[in-house]
Amino acid sequence: MNPLDLENGLLSLLIWLPVIAGILILAVGSDQKATMVRGLSLGFSILVFLLSIPLYTLFDSSTAAMQFVEKASWIKAFNINYHLGVDGISMPLILLTTLITVIVIISGWQVITQRVAQYMAAFLIMEGIMIGVFASLDAILFYVFWESMLIPMFIIIGIWGGPNRIYATIKFFLYTLLGSLLMLVALLYLYNVSGNSFSILDFHQIKLGMNVQIMLFLAFFAAFAVKVPMFPVHTWLPDAHVEAPTGGSVILAAIMLKMGGYGFIRFNMPITPDASHELAWLMITLSLIAVVYIALIALVQQDMKKLIAYSSISHMGFVTLGLFIFNPQGVEGAMMQMISHGFISGALFLCVGVLYDRLHSRMIQTYGGIASTMPVFAGFMVLFAMANSGLPGTSGFVGEFLVILGAFQANPWFAIIASLTLIFGAAYTLWMIKRVIYGKVVNRDVLSLSDVNPREIIMLSILAAMVLIVGIWPNPILEVMHTSIENLLQHIAISKLP
Amino acid sequence: MKNIYIAIPLVCLFASIVAGLFGKVIGRKGAHTITIAGVAIAFLLSLIVYSDVRDGNTFNGSLYTWAITGTVPLQIGFLIDQLSATMMIIVTFVSLMVHIYTIGYMASDPGYQRFFCYISLFTFAMLMLVMSNNFLQLFFGWEAVGLVSYLLIGFWYDRETAIFANMKAFLVNRVSDFGFLLGIAAVLYLFGSLDYAAVFASAEGIQHATVMSPFGEWNWLTVTCILLFIGAMGKSAQVPLHVWLPDSMEGPTPISALIHAATMVTAGIFMVARMSPLFELSETALSTVLVIGSTTAIFMALVGLVQNDIKRVVAYSTLSQLGYMTVALGVSAYEVAIFHLGTHAFFKALLFLGAGSVIIAMHHEQDMRKMGGLRTIMPITYLTAIIGSLALAGIPPFAGFFSKDAIIEAVHHSDIWGAKYAYISVLLGVFVTAFYSFRLLFMTFHGSNRSDEHTRKHLHESPNVVTFPLLALAVPSILAGFMFFEPVLNGNFFGDSIFILPAHDVVNQLAAEYEGTSGIGMIFSAIGHGVQTPPFWLALAGVIFAWYCYCKNLALPGKIKNAFRPIYIIIDKKYGFDELYQSLFSQGSLLVGRFLHKYADAGLIDGALVNGTASSVNRISGVLRKVQTGFTYHYAFAMIIGLFALITFFVWF
């Protein structure tokens, strides 16, 4: 195919192909034909992943302008457009989405035996929607994708979730909805002042007074802080994770949380730069609280999924910290942290899933001495744990390192507090490893465990490879972001006060 | 040459990967063959590199760009000069010996291949650390050796003590990395680069830059150096971050020799020597280094006196000797510090492997009170242990004498703040060192055998794969001292790789004392000079006193113990660091964590705010529900009121 042809419509293809595939699978699939459903889902997810690779290879990293742009009128009366495009910030996140979806499909292969078609379809449809969120350049299109993303997630937790899933879904829903509605108000306001445009790129150029900026900042903040999640609106996440099936947790941690960080980059910072500077103290304080306070809470968790959920919140603190210190190391570090956290938290949730599938317990005390019965699995889990504690040579190091470097330039005290993660992050992760992986085999259940099967080895190996490759050579990813981040920083350095 | 530089670490990495991933396929023999071949190649290539560097061919260049952040390129690259070439030889040689020794020591262990995978990986990481030309890669190697240390201390992962020790080691090292990473961030902030050459070149320019802190105005360079040194304090186990090293003895003995005596723990010493252009510019930082080092040297040596576990004696001895090296750094005698690092690597690896040989013979019994009289049964182990102990005690002409004497003399010549304290510490340390090393020797090899019947029957000398490394390490433990004494002191051994301000150059003053002599003459005058100074007599006194206590008058140690009971308890408790840290930091953070989880997260945020909101929504909606009556005229009425309200709003505003 001519690359030029591919560029036109590639994003649409990536959004709608998985959605249509999902609907197709819903239509033809039943639990009698589970094998076919699994095969089709895997085939489609791999196809989407392969199709997303040209986004990287054909990407022009010398410009900050949107690429692979598609624009068509959608609702003429309100000047709403079907407007897609990616830059160096959204493109890597789309690739992350397509890769993680493949892994999630593999992870549900044998585990989900009931309503297989619905399960697989939900993830495929969600994939399309999530790509839509990252690719939308029209505010209403963005909002539609943003809200509809909740539906499949809601269904996944609600149907395949744990015993307390209703409480978790309602909490999740209430939190998210509250934030989203305020964002909608902000978008409508911006539509008015921009002279009837819903283009996000137009929003970036509007001059706004300080008070208005602060109001808008807080409205967007409500939507994105919940998603990240930032302290103190984080309490939905541990509950949602605990109740979600493994695949749901992986998508939630690996991709959904990133939408919060992405939202800050796409909306808060460029639309309200003055308010961003004005409120940076708040963002930094909340981020640092997340890094330290949440890490301490993670330390005392008994449930592995809760522990990893709290660890996610703590790590996402680095994202918001990196963004609001407004220097290249900080923002690049934040982006790297998002991508790396996608791999690592996804992998850790898969690891818990592997154990859960066998013994149906997420509690740390159930385990102990796994290394004796599941040596290959132990190797993987120790690797991901080390990555989670930010060991150099793994992707977990890159983001934290860059953010700490950036924070030191901004104010050494920020760096000092943030660096505490070196100690706490290692403490809660390794203590879990000590109790789960090492030690004597204390009960018969653990003795009967069988090591990871080829399917599990494949999904863990892919993530292990990504964790190591990105850790050893992050430059290929940083390279594509570079110009966009530089452009963003230049943009927000200029006041938008009228 | 560049290809050789790349090949040296990579050949170890390759061997490690093969042994790790395909351990089952290639079997035990395959695993040790490939890893030993890898390290042997690395050793031979290091020799080539070393002689090339001696010819004046140093190298500083990058391999690839790890990342470009903002405008700062962060690169992976090599700096090959006298300092790194020396370290490469030490690392690969000791590693090779340990590899060979492991064949014997781990012969019956089910984790054989895994062990070889780890120690080769360690060699790779350590080589990357010493060959680095920038702070980023230094930190990479730094953490990677820490990782392998973690994996190896916990090698026997079903032992509760081992997995506690490895977590403790990692976390204590993380505390020091906290400082180290901030130090690196400070370097980038001050210099805009993480490349050694660029940083060192502009160090003098920012010598007087200051930063306001809550405690007054601080010199930036001092702050940076102390932060970096905190990193060294963890890795090189300096007080108060030393607590992990004695516990690390839970790992198999070969790695105690390789990682926790000869190489990894000296990374901090190497790092400060590498950073000499920075440390030289801050006397405050140097004094800090000096005081910490001398405290470690004397107080850890004292703990060594009361240990009965053979490996723990050697471990505390390692702590103390690392203190000596740190003292040397503090008085700007960097080359002497590296000199002692080298001699210590040989004789301490020898002592550890010797202890391991004894432990194999004793069926994994490590308590010296149950040993004794092994000299006739294990003649080679005994002979090499004597050589190691003489070197450690600093008796001429063994290697330790030259390097330790140079440290003591350097401290003597220094007039930096803290030098007097350091001088007393290192002098007393000499006596203590000699005493505990010969206490170990006499308790283990002399007297009558105190083990049980079964063990005694099976006592035997260790196999050749174990004794060969002992003999091979004994050679440099004898020779390394006088071979390198003269070039080190004359300052041409390390060339430009170490930077010293003329005002701090105690080594130069030291060399001046031997003026007119060179080569062999200098060695003899050093020995001649040595026997006239207190250290020699203190060492001799220590040896004789140990002999008296443990060969002649066996009741004396007990009497001394009872006479100085309070002091004995303090030393035996290791000054209470473990208990303090355990209750303050471990229990403390758990307590805070539980409190926050219960009261802040679950109580305040979830309980009062989230669920509180939900329940108040419930309550309010209960009220609101009453408004929705279902009667059309009620709605119409409400709409009219709403309309009026809106109109009023628009008219008024």
Side-chain angles (χ1 to χ4, degrees):
Chain A
M1 201 190 293
N2 184 333
L4 283 174
D5 287 339
L6 198 62
E7 279 189 47
N8 290 321
L10 181 58
L11 286 172
S12 280
L13 189 65
L14 289 175
I15 294 171
W16 299 111
L17 178 65
V19 173
I20 293 167
I23 294 171
L24 187 79
I25 285 167
L26 270 184
V28 302
S30 68
D31 280 2
Q32 282 79 40
K33 292 186 252 174
T35 317
M36 183 198 79
V37 167
R38 291 180 185 126
L40 266 181
S41 312
L42 183 64
F44 275 116
S45 65
I46 291 176
L47 181 64
V48 175
F49 172 66
L50 292 178
L51 284 170
S52 70
I53 290 175
L55 279 187
Y56 181 86
T57 52
L58 298 179
F59 190 82
D60 177 3
S61 53
S62 65
T63 169
M66 290 296 164
Q67 304 181 35
F68 301 94
V69 175
E70 294 169 38
K71 192 169 183 181
S73 184
W74 181 20
I75 305 171
K76 267 232 172 67
F78 297 103
N79 194 19
I80 298 172
N81 292 300
Y82 177 78
H83 188 183
L84 302 174
V86 288
D87 62 358
I89 292 163
S90 47
M91 187 271 284
L93 294 171
I94 292 181
L95 263 78
L96 180 70
T97 310
T98 57
L99 178 68
I100 294 291
T101 303
V102 176
I103 287 169
V104 164
I105 300 282
I106 301 176
S107 84
W109 199 264
Q110 291 156 336
V111 184
I112 302 297
T113 48
Q114 308 223 310
R115 308 187 203 214
V116 181
Q118 284 90 330
Y119 182 86
M120 297 295 181
F123 280 106
L124 283 173
I125 293 172
M126 192 151 56
E127 176 182 21
I129 297 172
M130 289 187 300
I131 295 173
V133 171
F134 290 129
S136 296
L137 294 179
D138 182 277
I140 293 300
L141 189 64
F142 173 85
Y143 187 77
V144 169
F145 281 126
W146 177 270
E147 290 292 13
S148 49
M149 177 177 74
L150 287 179
I151 301 166
M153 197 64 200
F154 211 74
I155 293 173
I156 287 165
I157 301 179
I159 295 181
W160 292 274
N164 203 10
R165 54 184 185 258
I166 303 298
Y167 172 73
T169 41
I170 294 199
K171 200 169 175 183
F172 174 49
F173 186 77
L174 276 180
Y175 258 119
T176 337
L177 191 73
L178 180 77
S180 309
L181 286 178
L182 288 173
M183 172 168 76
L184 182 62
V185 174
L187 293 177
L188 294 176
Y189 178 87
L190 284 166
Y191 170 75
N192 263 326
V193 292
S194 66
N196 297 357
S197 166
F198 272 118
S199 162
I200 297 171
L201 298 178
D202 287 347
F203 290 173
H204 290 181
Q205 307 303 330
I206 310 168
K207 294 236 178 270
L208 296 163
M210 187 55 113
N211 288 338
V212 176
Q213 281 199 30
I214 288 190
M215 297 294 278
L216 286 171
F217 183 95
L218 291 175
F220 284 120
F221 172 82
F224 303 135
V226 166
K227 267 286 188 311
V228 169
M230 293 179 74
F231 173 87
V233 287
H234 63 275
T235 59
W236 63 272
L237 187 73
D239 284 310
H241 270 307
V242 166
E243 299 306 326
T246 304
S249 282
V250 173
I251 292 288
L252 196 57
I255 301 161
M256 280 213 178
L257 303 191
K258 310 302 168 301
M259 293 182 175
Y262 174 74
F264 280 120
I265 299 179
R266 191 61 91 218
F267 290 87
N268 286 59
M269 296 170 72
I271 295 176
T272 62
D274 303 285
S276 298
H277 285 287
E278 190 74 15
L279 294 175
W281 66 271
L282 176 72
M283 298 299 291
I284 291 168
T285 310
L286 293 179
S287 309
L288 291 176
I289 291 176
V291 170
V292 178
Y293 163 99
I294 298 292
L296 282 166
I297 291 182
L299 202 57
V300 298
Q301 296 307 312
Q302 304 295 323
D303 179 321
M304 283 190 271
K305 263 195 163 179
K306 271 205 172 162
L307 195 152
I308 300 166
Y310 276 111
S311 149
S312 286
I313 304 168
S314 185
H315 281 102
M316 290 303 285
F318 269 88
V319 174
T320 42
L321 173 65
L323 293 179
F324 285 87
I325 51 182
F326 308 112
N327 60 32
Q329 280 83 26
V331 179
E332 286 171 5
M335 280 300 297
M336 287 309 295
Q337 178 78 347
M338 288 210 268
I339 291 164
S340 149
H341 180 259
F343 301 134
I344 298 169
S345 66
L348 282 173
F349 278 118
L350 286 174
C351 285
V352 177
V354 166
L355 291 177
Y356 185 82
D357 292 343
R358 285 165 173 69
L359 290 190
H360 298 284
S361 166
R362 296 179 314 261
M363 305 313 277
I364 290 173
Q365 71 213 36
T366 314
Y367 300 92
I370 296 286
S372 308
T373 48
M374 302 175 72
V376 177
F377 173 75
F380 277 115
M381 188 142 173
V382 170
L383 169 69
F384 295 128
M386 282 295 165
N388 200 42
S389 1
L391 191 85
T394 66
S395 63
F397 170 72
V398 186
E400 285 180 13
F401 180 66
L402 292 178
V403 171
I404 288 171
L405 289 185
F408 201 96
Q409 326 284 309
N411 182 338
W413 289 105
F414 299 162
I416 291 172
I417 299 173
S419 301
L420 286 173
T421 193
L422 241 65
I423 304 167
F424 291 128
Y428 59 70
T429 317
L430 294 188
W431 196 31
M432 175 178 78
I433 290 296
K434 172 177 178 282
R435 289 176 291 170
V436 173
I437 299 290
Y438 296 139
K440 278 196 166 47
V441 178
V442 281
N443 63 49
R444 208 169 298 142
D445 291 341
V446 173
L447 210 58
S448 69
L449 285 176
S450 55
D451 210 340
V452 274
N453 59 32
R455 174 185 65 85
E456 290 162 335
I457 291 181
I458 288 173
M459 71 188 187
L460 293 176
S461 299
I462 295 172
L463 288 175
M466 293 312 295
V467 163
L468 290 174
I469 292 169
V470 174
I472 292 165
W473 198 30
N475 208 40
I477 300 180
L478 277 165
E479 234 167 30
V480 294
M481 301 173 184
H482 206 73
T483 314
S484 296
I485 288 175
E486 207 173 326
N487 182 56
L488 172 77
L489 287 170
Q490 277 166 6
H491 178 89
I492 59 177
I494 301 163
S495 169
K496 276 173 72 171
L497 295 176
Chain B
M1 240 14 221
K2 194 175 170 184
N3 290 330
I4 294 183
Y5 302 146
I6 299 172
I8 291 172
L10 283 192
V11 70
C12 299
L13 178 66
F14 173 76
S16 164
I17 292 174
V18 172
L21 291 185
F22 308 106
K24 277 213 182 87
V25 186
I26 58 176
R28 292 174 162 243
K29 195 151 190 267
H32 73 230
T33 311
I34 188 159
T35 49
I36 289 175
V39 179
I41 292 171
F43 174 59
L44 292 176
L45 292 177
S46 297
L47 287 176
I48 295 173
V49 169
Y50 183 79
S51 74
D52 187 53
V53 169
R54 284 268 79 132
D55 294 342
N57 299 320
T58 56
F59 173 86
N60 181 15
S62 64
L63 287 183
Y64 72 92
T65 303
W66 183 74
I68 298 172
T69 163
T71 51
V72 186
L74 302 174
Q75 276 160 338
I76 299 295
F78 291 148
L79 169 60
I80 307 294
D81 59 5
Q82 291 88 341
L83 182 58
S84 42
T86 309
M87 289 299 290
M88 285 157 68
I89 300 244
I90 297 172
V91 170
T92 51
F93 177 68
V94 178
S95 176
L96 180 61
M97 291 307 122
V98 168
H99 271 77
I100 296 170
Y101 179 89
T102 300
I103 299 176
Y105 193 86
M106 300 297 281
S108 55
D109 198 282
Y112 195 79
Q113 288 96 320
R114 185 162 56 99
F115 193 88
F116 278 99
C117 161
Y118 287 170
I119 51 176
S120 271
L121 181 65
F122 170 79
T123 314
F124 161 75
M126 191 70 202
L127 284 168
M128 290 302 279
L129 190 162
V130 297
M131 293 167 80
S132 165
N133 74 344
N134 63 81
F135 288 82
L136 174 78
Q137 187 182 338
L138 174 72
F139 193 66
F140 260 73
W142 194 264
E143 292 278 282
V145 291
L147 167 74
V148 187
S149 162
Y150 168 83
L151 293 171
L152 281 167
I153 298 171
F155 186 77
W156 289 310
Y157 48 74
D158 50 358
R159 291 187 190 171
E160 196 53 41
T161 47
I163 58 175
F164 177 78
N166 78 341
M167 189 173 76
K168 179 173 170 183
F170 199 90
L171 292 184
V172 173
N173 271 295
R174 270 300 167 106
V175 174
S176 77
D177 292 346
F178 166 76
F180 195 32
L181 189 58
L182 288 172
I184 293 174
V187 166
L188 182 73
Y189 172 72
L190 290 173
F191 300 99
S193 169
L194 289 182
D195 189 69
Y196 287 160
V199 169
F200 297 160
S202 43
E204 266 177 285
I206 60 116
Q207 202 177 343
H208 302 294
T210 56
V211 56
M212 274 313 287
S213 80
F215 313 101
E217 208 173 14
W218 284 349
N219 181 291
W220 255 126
L221 209 56
T222 301
V223 172
T224 310
C225 286
I226 289 179
L227 285 172
L228 293 172
F229 180 63
I230 290 174
M233 281 165 66
K235 206 97 298 158
S236 293
Q238 299 294 302
V239 174
L241 294 177
H242 64 284
V243 288
W244 65 273
L245 187 62
D247 285 11
S248 77
M249 296 301 131
E250 290 295 336
T253 305
I255 62 118
S256 305
L258 174 62
I259 301 185
H260 304 123
T263 53
M264 182 188 87
V265 289
T266 58
I269 311 297
F270 162 78
M271 187 263 280
V272 176
R274 183 49 100 200
M275 307 296 158
S276 57
L278 299 182
F279 279 82
E280 273 303 288
L281 300 176
S282 167
E283 291 211 353
T284 317
L286 285 175
S287 287
T288 312
V289 173
L290 182 61
V291 171
I292 300 260
S294 34
T295 307
T296 310
I298 179 67
F299 287 97
M300 291 303 119
L302 287 173
V303 180
L305 288 177
V306 300
Q307 298 297 313
N308 289 316
D309 181 317
I310 186 168
K311 278 182 78 180
R312 296 224 168 208
V313 177
V314 191
Y316 278 100
S317 146
T318 305
L319 283 171
S320 163
Q321 294 301 308
L322 288 166
Y324 274 90
M325 295 173 212
T326 311
V327 166
L329 298 172
V331 295
S332 300
Y334 306 97
E335 55 272 73
V336 177
I338 300 294
F339 183 31
H340 194 55
L341 186 162
T343 59
H344 175 261
F346 300 127
F347 66 71
K348 191 49 69 65
L350 171 62
L351 282 172
F352 259 122
L353 296 184
S357 172
V358 170
I359 293 170
I360 311 175
M362 296 291 297
H363 292 282
H364 291 269
E365 175 59 70
Q366 304 193 2
D367 193 333
M368 295 193 299
R369 286 169 297 191
K370 294 179 185 157
M371 298 177 183
L374 296 178
R375 68 172 184 275
T376 48
I377 303 158
M378 310 181 74
I380 301 177
T381 307
Y382 175 60
L383 175 74
T384 52
I386 290 186
I387 294 171
S389 301
L390 287 169
L392 172 59
I395 306 290
F398 294 91
F401 163 76
F402 292 95
S403 52
K404 193 191 277 183
D405 208 48
I407 293 177
I408 295 168
E409 284 303 304
V411 179
H412 196 44
H413 281 90
S414 173
D415 49 12
I416 193 165
W417 189 89
K420 288 230 161 50
Y421 167 66
Y423 186 59
I424 297 168
S425 303
V426 292
L427 269 188
L428 285 178
V430 171
F431 173 79
V432 181
T433 307
F435 182 82
Y436 67 64
S437 32
F438 278 84
R439 172 178 175 263
L440 181 148
L441 194 79
F442 294 138
M443 277 181 89
T444 311
F445 293 101
H446 288 252
S448 59
N449 191 281
R450 297 177 292 274
S451 60
D452 57 60
E453 199 62 34
H454 173 77
T455 315
R456 201 175 315 157
K457 239 182 244 162
H458 291 87
L459 281 175
H460 56 86
E461 178 60 284
S462 298
N464 289 340
V465 281
V466 171
T467 51
F468 167 71
L470 294 179
L471 292 168
L473 282 164
V475 175
S477 298
I478 302 171
L479 296 179
F482 50 81
M483 270 174 69
F484 300 111
F485 184 66
E486 193 246 328
V488 167
L489 248 58
N490 282 340
N492 55 21
F493 190 78
F494 290 109
D496 297 331
S497 60
I498 282 169
F499 168 83
I500 303 173
L501 286 181
H504 293 165
D505 201 349
V506 286
V507 178
N508 199 22
Q509 296 173 32
L510 216 60
E513 283 191 4
Y514 305 111
E515 215 178 308
T517 58
S518 65
I520 293 292
M522 187 161 173
I523 291 157
F524 281 116
S525 62
I527 296 176
H529 175 258
V531 297
Q532 292 165 34
T533 52
F536 171 75
W537 295 104
L538 282 167
L540 209 59
V543 175
I544 294 168
F545 190 48
W547 171 79
Y548 185 73
C549 285
Y550 292 94
C551 288
K552 208 73 195 157
N553 187 351
L554 297 175
L556 189 60
K559 281 182 199 153
I560 298 176
K561 193 203 285 189
N562 289 332
F564 297 97
R565 187 122 206 111
I567 297 176
Y568 172 79
I569 292 174
I570 293 175
I571 293 177
D572 192 46
K573 287 261 172 214
K574 300 147 198 154
Y575 314 106
F577 279 107
D578 280 327
E579 288 77 8
L580 178 74
Y581 291 170
Q582 185 69 27
S583 54
L584 193 66
F585 298 121
S586 314
Q587 300 305 324
S589 48
L590 283 181
L591 215 64
V592 175
R594 282 201 194 98
F595 175 83
L596 292 177
H597 184 223
K598 193 162 171 201
Y599 295 104
D601 236 42
L604 188 68
I605 297 175
D606 252 14
L609 297 178
V610 179
N611 298 342
T613 310
S615 60
S616 28
V617 166
N618 238 336
R619 244 175 291 129
I620 295 167
S621 59
V623 176
L624 286 181
R625 200 160 46 225
K626 294 185 183 132
V627 181
Q628 310 208 336
T629 52
F631 298 114
T632 319
Y633 61 88
H634 281 177
Y635 294 131
F637 182 63
M639 281 161 80
I640 290 167
I641 289 186
L643 200 61
F644 271 117
L646 274 178
I647 290 168
T648 319
F649 181 83
F650 281 117
V651 171
W652 280 25
F653 296 97

